Amino acid sequence: MAILEVKNLKKNFGSLQVLKGIDFSLEKGEALAMIGASGSGKTTLLRCLNFLERPTEGQIIANGTVIFDAANAKTASEAEIRKNRLHFGMVFQSFHLFPQYTALRNCTLAKELMMKEEPGFKENKKKILEQIREQGEAILSSVGLQDKVDYYPHQLSGGQQQRVAIARALMLQPDILCFDEPTSALDPELTGEVLKVIRGLADKKTTMVIVTHEMQFARDVSDKVLFMDKGMVAEYGTPEQVFEHPKEERTRQFLERYFEQ
């Protein structure tokens, strides 16, 4: 059973149709790379998956359960969206760290706020917060920041801040980790730091959806590649199929432009 299925997903902004009926599926442990020209709808699709944008039509199914159906008003309620958003961890282009908090607190804050709503938190507050701290330290260590847990964002490089953002997304143990151009704000050296972390997650079979312009990285790290063009899925398949034997002329033209650079 697929961990994620997207069926006929559409998104309109007024009279502008940005997504025009998107269909794809993802199995547990797979990494999906979304590629395509700027403005093709990749980021909008990712934001629809995480409910930062509400789809106009279509369904999103996670672990066999319909978590969004544009035809069912209940799935569009704030309570349902808040709950179902937990299926997805989001890493943005910019780091969006709280400047007044350390790397560790940026990582653990969301988990702390969630646990405060759980029964028995007050009675076991000290133990629970210690467990969250230990989890945060372990995750920061896993992204190579074991010696930076008490640093503030201004004391970290861009690559280190992005790794804190990845750790923060991992803290809530999402089913699917989503990346929206995670290296676009970084210089080449720092880009390598972040891509190394994502490669490590792929090696651990973390289920991921990655929007990227790093074509070589997309080819190396992904199990599936989705090429978008003008709000539609123009090509969808394995890295070998899409990069080596594309069926569509527009896919070939896009890849030729990239690899000629």
Side-chain angles (χ1 to χ4, degrees):
M1 180 177 67
I3 195 170
L4 175 66
E5 294 177 84
V6 173
K7 296 185 176 182
N8 194 37
L9 204 69
K10 298 180 182 179
K11 176 62 181 176
N12 299 340
F13 292 99
S15 61
L16 178 64
Q17 190 175 32
V18 177
L19 299 180
K20 304 173 183 178
I22 305 297
D23 294 280
F24 72 90
S25 65
L26 191 63
E27 300 295 323
K28 183 176 176 61
E30 288 186 329
L32 169 69
M34 283 192 210
I35 63 172
S38 297
S40 60
K42 305 183 302 297
T43 292
T44 299
L45 175 54
L46 204 64
R47 290 175 65 86
C48 283
L49 293 182
N50 198 43
F51 303 110
L52 294 172
E53 301 288 352
R54 194 166 297 184
T56 307
E57 293 184 36
Q59 291 183 329
I60 301 172
I61 302 167
N63 293 315
T65 300
V66 177
I67 63 171
F68 181 85
D69 184 344
N72 183 346
K74 181 182 177 182
T75 65
S77 71
E78 282 300 320
E80 286 296 304
I81 285 176
R82 187 179 180 193
K83 178 182 70 175
N84 291 324
R85 186 173 280 146
L86 295 175
H87 288 285
F88 303 91
M90 192 80 176
V91 180
F92 299 91
Q93 295 179 23
S94 300
F95 326 121
H96 298 300
L97 301 182
F98 291 106
Q100 71 272 34
Y101 294 146
T102 63
L104 180 61
R105 191 76 202 287
N106 267 283
C107 188
T108 61
L109 181 60
K111 186 69 173 283
E112 291 175 12
L113 295 174
M114 284 184 58
M115 293 306 297
K116 285 181 180 179
E117 299 180 4
E118 295 294 316
F121 175 78
K122 289 183 179 179
E123 295 80 0
N124 299 286
K125 179 178 178 180
K126 185 176 180 181
K127 181 180 179 181
I128 291 171
L129 291 180
E130 181 59 31
Q131 289 173 340
I132 293 173
R133 179 182 175 84
E134 290 175 356
Q135 182 187 0
E137 289 174 343
I139 291 177
L140 285 169
S141 180
S142 75
V143 298
L145 295 175
Q146 60 273 9
D147 58 341
K148 306 291 184 184
V149 294
D150 294 322
Y151 280 48
Y152 289 86
H154 74 273
Q155 297 173 301
L156 301 172
S157 70
Q160 290 168 341
Q161 290 185 63
Q162 190 63 294
R163 283 186 276 159
V164 173
I166 293 171
R168 177 179 58 190
L170 289 168
M171 270 296 293
L172 298 180
Q173 299 176 304
D175 294 322
I176 302 157
L177 194 58
C178 300
F179 295 88
D180 183 16
E181 296 284 5
T183 61
S184 64
L186 305 176
D187 63 35
E189 182 180 351
L190 299 180
T191 291
E193 287 181 20
V194 174
L195 295 184
K196 182 180 179 181
V197 171
I198 301 174
R199 288 178 194 273
L201 292 170
D203 290 342
K204 294 176 183 177
K205 297 300 180 183
T206 304
T207 309
M208 296 185 288
V209 178
I210 308 163
V211 171
T212 182
H213 280 105
E214 300 283 344
M215 294 300 111
Q216 189 62 53
F217 169 73
R219 180 157 60 183
D220 292 345
V221 81
S222 63
D223 300 287
K224 293 178 179 176
V225 178
L226 187 152
F227 171 61
M228 289 191 65
D229 184 58
K230 298 178 181 178
M232 297 180 287
V233 177
E235 194 117 22
Y236 177 55
T238 66
E240 181 181 7
Q241 289 169 336
V242 174
F243 285 101
E244 305 297 337
H245 309 287
K247 298 177 182 178
E248 299 291 328
E249 179 62 27
R250 49 189 167 172
T251 312
R252 284 193 288 271
Q253 291 175 352
F254 172 81
L255 293 173
E256 284 173 1
R257 286 197 301 271
Y258 173 82
F259 285 111
E260 284 174 357
Q261 294 176 2

